[in-house]
Amino acid sequence: MSSGISLEDVAKALSVRKSTLKQTFKKYTGIGIKQYFNDMKVEYAKVLLKEKHTAAEVSEILSYSSQNYFSMAFKKHTGVSPLEYKQKGI
């Protein structure tokens, strides 16, 4: 899922400053770009877990730096670990 596109790339493509892009995004969405992107990754992780992927596979697919970091981010967002999520079939 990691596309290698940076915030700077997006700002440049839109001919705006990075700070303007961040402010405008937050104004219209209520959250920052990084938070939005992280939320999207966790939502996609839920789909992958439901498709029977392991936490290690999901971590790799979504380009997390480690499985531990993925698990921490997932639990912070959902309140449960990836394993608990899979077991409960939420």
Side-chain angles (χ1 to χ4, degrees):
M1 183 169 174
S2 178
S3 63
I5 297 173
S6 70
L7 195 53
E8 290 82 8
D9 295 333
V10 175
K12 185 177 179 181
L14 296 172
S15 300
V16 297
R17 291 185 174 169
K18 187 170 99 171
S19 60
T20 302
L21 175 61
K22 289 166 66 174
Q23 290 171 351
T24 303
F25 189 91
K26 187 163 186 164
K27 177 181 175 182
Y28 287 98
T29 65
I31 61 173
I33 292 173
K34 279 187 175 184
Q35 183 63 50
Y36 182 81
F37 182 71
N38 289 334
D39 291 350
M40 285 179 30
K41 283 177 79 171
V42 171
E43 290 304 313
Y44 188 49
K46 289 178 181 180
V47 171
L48 294 172
L49 290 168
K50 285 181 181 179
E51 292 176 351
K52 309 298 183 205
H53 289 279
T54 66
E57 291 169 336
V58 174
S59 174
E60 187 174 330
I61 291 167
L62 297 179
S63 301
Y64 279 92
S65 59
S66 71
Q67 183 180 341
N68 287 341
Y69 183 72
F70 163 65
S71 293
M72 286 181 3
F74 189 90
K75 186 167 186 170
K76 181 179 179 183
H77 184 84
T78 64
V80 296
S81 71
L83 180 60
E84 291 172 309
Y85 183 84
K86 282 184 76 160
Q87 289 174 341
K88 292 180 180 179
I90 301 171

